[in-house]
Amino acid sequence: MGLQGLTYLVVGLTFALYIGIAIWARAGSTKEFYAAGGAVHPVLNGMATGADWMSAASFISMAGLIAAFGYGGALFLMGWTGGYVLLAMLLAPYLRKFGKFTVPQFFGTRYYSKGASTVAVLCLLMASLTYIIGQMTGVGVAFSRFLGVSNSTGIFVGMAIVFCYAVFGGMKGITYTQVAQYCVLILAYTVPAVFISLHLTGNPVPQLGLGSDMAGSSISLLAKLDQISVDLGFAQYTTHMRGNMLNTFVYTVSLMIGTAGLPHVIMRFFTVPTVKDARASAGWALVFIAILYTTAPAVAAMAKINLLTTINPKIMTDNNITAPDAQIKYAERPDWMKRWEKTGLLKFTDKNGDGRIQFYNDKSKDPKFAAAGWKGNELKVNKDIMVLANPEIALLPNWVIALVAAGGLAAALSTAAGLLLAISSAISHDLLKEKFMPELSEKGELMAGKIAMACSILVAGYLGLNPPDFAAGTVAIAFGLAASSIFPALMMGIFSKTMNKQGAIAGMLAGIGITMLYVFAHKGIFFIKGTSFLGLFGGKPSFFLGIEPNAFGAIGAVVNFVVAFAVKNMTPPVPDDIAQMVENVRIPKGSGEVTGAH
C-alpha cells in the first residue's frame, strides 16, 4: 500500500476509535458532561490530562521552535513543564477540595460575587478561544500534508470530528477518548525519534542520543550542529538566546503561570473521586508528559541536522559550504520536499538562478556568501512542519509517517475538545444557569452546553483559518491571557484570606486589559490584519523593554496582583465566613463530591 493510502487507513482507524469511545461513554447527566461523574481512575486521568495538555503546540510546533531557535526555543519546554508542576502543587488539590464543576464557579463562591464569576468567564473565553486557534492551525497543517487537502478543508474536517465526540460525550466521552489519543500521539512521537536517534548516533534512546557522538565519528551531535549552524551564518544552536535575557525570563514565566491558569487543564482534576486521587493523577500526568517533553529536544536537533544535511549533502565531510556543488539541485530535491511544497508550507525561490537550493542566514555579514554569488535565502520552511516532516526527511518507512500523521491530529483534537468543554461549561453553566436562567432544568442545561460547544466549534474553526502566528506562538498568546487574569485570582483566592471581590475583579480586568492592549497593538485587534497600533509603543519593531507580545502575560500578572491588593486595601474586608472557607480549602483533606451548586 502506498503512503497516501496507508495514511488514510491509519488516520481513519484512529478517528473511528475516538468516535466509538465517545458513543460508548456518552454523558447522560450534567455531572458526567462536566466532570465525567467524578469517578475517573487517577492513572487514566493522568493519561487524559497528558493528552489534554500536549496540544498541537507541543506535538507539532514545540520541536520545530527548538529546531529553529536552538537554545532560545527551549524556553517553551521549560515554561510549559514548570507550569504544570505549579499547577499540580499549588492549585489542583485545593480546587478539588473546593469541589465545583468549573473555574468560574470557584470565583463566584470564593469571591462571593456573580460579577467575579462573569469576569472569570470572559477571561476564560478570551484565553480558550485564542488557544483553539493554535490547535486548529495544527489540524490544518497535518491535514493539508497527509490527507492531500487544503488547509481550510483540513480545519473543517477536524471541526466535524471534534463535534462528534465532544458534543455527545462531554467530559466523560472526552476523558476516555483522550486516553486513546495519548497512546496514539506518544507512539507517533517516540517511534520515529528512536529510529532517527539510532541512525544518527547508534543510540536507540533519543534523550541519550542528543548528547552522543555522531555514528562513525568522534564529534557529538550537538557540536556538529553548532558547527553547521555557524557555517551557514546562523548563531550557535546550543547558546543562542531568544531576544534579550529579560525577554527570555519573562516569556518563560508567562508560559509557566499561564499553564497553571488554563481552565481546561484545571477541570481535569474535578473528574477524580478525592484530593488524594487529584494529587496522584497530577503525578501520573507529569510522568506521561515527561515522555514527550524529554524527547522533544532530541527530535528538534535531529530534525535540524537532517534538514541541513539533506540540502547540503557534503557538509558532514567538507566544511566548504559555499562550494559550487555543495548544495543539492532543485530538480533533484527529494520527494518529501515536493509533497510539502504542495501545502505552501515549504517554498523555494531561485534568487541567483543557479538551480541549487541555498538555505542560510542571509542577514549574516559573512562575506563568503556574497563572494559565492548567493543572493538571499531561497528556502522558506514553516516551523510547524519540522516534526511532521522529520520521518520523511529521515526516509523512515511509510507506516511510521502515517503514524506521525495520526499522532499530530490526536494531539490537536484532544486539546481542542478539552478547550471546547471549558468554553461550553462557562457559557451554559456559569452564565446561563448561574446568572440568567437559574430555573433551567438539568436536561435543559445539558442541551445548552451542547449547543454552546457546537457554536464554539464554528467560531474556533473560523479563527483557525486566520491565525495570528504559528501554532506555538498563538498558544503562547493564550497562555499570556490566562497568566494575566486567571492565575493571579486563583492564587489569591486560595492563599489570601483577605482578598475581596473588588480586588479580584479589578485585578483580573487590569491584568487582561494591559495584556490585550499590548498584544493587539502588535498583532491587530482580535488578530485582524491591518488593525495594529504599534505607534502607541514606539512603532515596529520596538517592544517594551524588548519583551515580545507573546511573553507579555507575566507583566499583566504583576499588574493584576498590584491592582488587586491596592483595591482590596481601599474596599470593605472579606466576610468572616468566606475567610473561614478559604482556611478550610487550604487543608486538602476530606474532599466532598464534585457539585455544580453554589
Side-chain angles (χ1 to χ4, degrees):
M1 185 180 293
L3 174 59
Q4 197 66 45
L6 191 59
T7 303
Y8 276 115
L9 176 63
V10 173
V11 172
L13 287 175
T14 58
F15 282 178
L17 174 64
Y18 306 153
I19 295 171
I21 291 173
I23 294 173
W24 165 73
R26 59 187 179 275
S29 66
T30 54
K31 185 177 180 182
E32 288 186 336
F33 189 82
Y34 295 130
V40 179
H41 191 279
V43 175
L44 293 180
N45 192 55
M47 197 174 290
T49 303
D52 207 354
W53 172 238
M54 290 183 290
S55 63
S58 292
F59 187 99
I60 295 175
S61 198
M62 182 173 65
L65 281 169
I66 300 173
F69 300 120
Y71 173 77
L75 64 85
F76 287 88
L77 185 70
M78 295 184 290
W80 285 335
T81 307
Y84 185 80
V85 175
L86 279 181
L87 173 62
M89 293 179 62
L90 298 181
L91 297 178
Y94 305 105
L95 291 173
R96 176 60 191 86
K97 172 69 181 293
F98 201 83
K100 299 295 181 184
F101 282 156
T102 67
V103 172
Q105 272 189 300
F106 170 82
F107 285 109
T109 304
R110 163 60 184 86
Y111 293 116
Y112 51 97
S113 166
K114 289 188 176 180
S117 177
T118 302
V119 172
V121 169
L122 295 176
C123 295
L124 181 154
L125 291 176
M126 280 297 300
S128 297
L129 283 172
T130 305
Y131 202 159
I132 289 181
I133 300 174
Q135 306 317 303
M136 290 303 177
T137 302
V139 169
V141 170
F143 268 116
S144 63
R145 162 60 193 90
F146 290 108
L147 298 187
V149 298
S150 67
N151 185 72
S152 56
T153 301
I155 289 174
F156 292 137
V157 173
M159 289 164 59
I161 297 297
V162 172
F163 179 88
C164 289
Y165 72 78
V167 172
F168 297 116
M171 178 61 91
K172 185 178 179 183
I174 287 172
T175 295
Y176 294 106
T177 300
Q178 285 176 334
V179 172
Q181 287 170 327
Y182 175 80
C183 296
V184 171
L185 74 87
I186 204 66
L187 284 173
Y189 205 84
T190 55
V191 168
V194 169
F195 274 107
I196 295 170
S197 179
L198 194 60
H199 172 71
L200 289 178
T201 68
N203 194 320
V205 182
Q207 293 88 336
L208 299 179
L210 179 63
S212 300
D213 289 344
M214 299 287 292
S217 75
S218 59
I219 185 172
S220 71
L221 184 147
L222 288 174
K224 187 63 181 177
L225 187 51
D226 272 343
Q227 176 191 317
I228 296 173
S229 296
V230 172
D231 285 345
L232 290 170
F234 299 104
Q236 273 199 338
Y237 184 84
T238 57
T239 60
H240 181 58
M241 191 175 293
R242 186 177 174 89
N244 58 35
M245 178 67 77
L246 178 62
N247 181 67
T248 299
F249 173 76
V250 171
Y251 211 138
T252 305
V253 171
S254 181
L255 293 176
M256 286 180 67
I257 63 178
T259 297
L262 287 174
H264 76 288
V265 178
I266 293 171
M267 285 177 67
R268 290 241 54 93
F269 298 103
F270 301 149
T271 66
V272 293
T274 66
V275 169
K276 181 180 178 181
D277 290 332
R279 289 183 180 278
S281 64
W284 279 110
L286 196 55
V287 171
F288 293 129
I289 291 168
I291 296 173
L292 187 146
Y293 270 52
T294 58
T295 307
V299 170
M302 293 172 187
K304 184 70 173 282
I305 204 165
N306 276 334
L307 174 65
L308 296 179
T309 53
T310 297
I311 299 170
N312 308 279
K314 296 182 179 180
I315 202 169
M316 297 300 289
T317 55
D318 185 358
N319 290 336
N320 186 10
I321 194 67
T322 56
D325 61 345
Q327 296 80 42
I328 61 168
K329 294 180 180 179
Y330 177 70
E332 298 174 1
R333 68 196 186 282
D335 290 340
W336 71 265
M337 293 184 72
K338 298 175 183 177
R339 291 192 288 262
W340 278 102
E341 280 181 304
K342 293 178 182 178
T343 68
L345 300 172
L346 185 146
K347 298 177 182 178
F348 169 74
T349 305
D350 194 359
K351 295 181 179 180
N352 63 353
D354 67 350
R356 294 182 180 273
I357 302 174
Q358 278 93 45
F359 179 68
Y360 71 109
N361 180 16
D362 50 14
K363 295 181 176 62
S364 170
K365 297 180 181 179
D366 193 326
K368 68 182 178 185
F369 301 123
W374 293 12
K375 296 184 178 180
N377 180 48
E378 298 178 341
L379 190 69
K380 289 186 177 180
V381 183
N382 187 293
K383 300 179 186 69
D384 288 340
I385 77 170
M386 291 301 292
V387 169
L388 298 178
N390 198 22
E392 296 180 87
I393 299 172
L395 304 177
L396 296 185
N398 285 349
W399 67 268
V400 178
I401 299 171
L403 181 62
V404 170
L409 292 169
L413 295 177
S414 62
T415 302
L419 289 164
L420 288 166
L421 185 63
I423 293 170
S424 168
S425 62
I427 294 173
S428 62
H429 191 77
D430 299 313
L431 284 183
L432 288 181
K433 175 72 173 176
E434 298 294 339
K435 192 170 181 64
F436 298 114
M437 302 172 65
E439 303 302 320
L440 188 66
S441 67
E442 180 173 309
K443 184 177 180 181
E445 184 183 346
L446 192 60
M447 180 55 65
K450 292 180 178 181
I451 293 172
M453 187 178 286
C455 293
S456 299
I457 290 172
L458 294 176
V459 173
Y462 171 76
L463 294 173
L465 294 171
N466 302 281
D469 211 328
F470 51 88
T474 304
V475 168
I477 296 173
F479 278 63
L481 295 174
S484 64
S485 58
I486 297 173
F487 174 77
L490 282 173
M491 290 294 292
M492 291 183 290
I494 293 171
F495 295 103
S496 173
K497 293 190 293 184
T498 62
M499 181 51 61
N500 60 13
K501 62 182 179 182
Q502 292 91 344
I505 292 172
M508 284 191 284
L509 292 174
I512 199 168
I514 191 68
T515 303
M516 287 172 59
L517 179 68
Y518 193 76
V519 170
F520 289 168
H522 293 85
K523 303 287 186 180
I525 299 173
F526 292 103
F527 313 124
I528 298 172
K529 293 181 179 179
T531 61
S532 58
F533 43 96
L534 291 166
L536 186 62
F537 296 100
K540 193 175 182 178
S542 299
F543 295 137
F544 174 70
L545 299 178
I547 298 171
E548 297 177 66
N550 305 37
F552 204 74
I555 304 300
V558 173
V559 172
N560 187 325
F561 279 115
V562 171
V563 170
F565 279 101
V567 172
K568 184 262 294 185
N569 291 333
M570 296 184 291
T571 49
V574 172
D576 292 339
D577 61 321
I578 299 296
Q580 185 58 49
M581 179 185 67
V582 174
E583 183 67 27
N584 293 336
V585 167
R586 287 212 301 250
I587 305 172
K589 180 180 179 182
S591 61
E593 183 179 357
V594 174
T595 172
H598 280 303

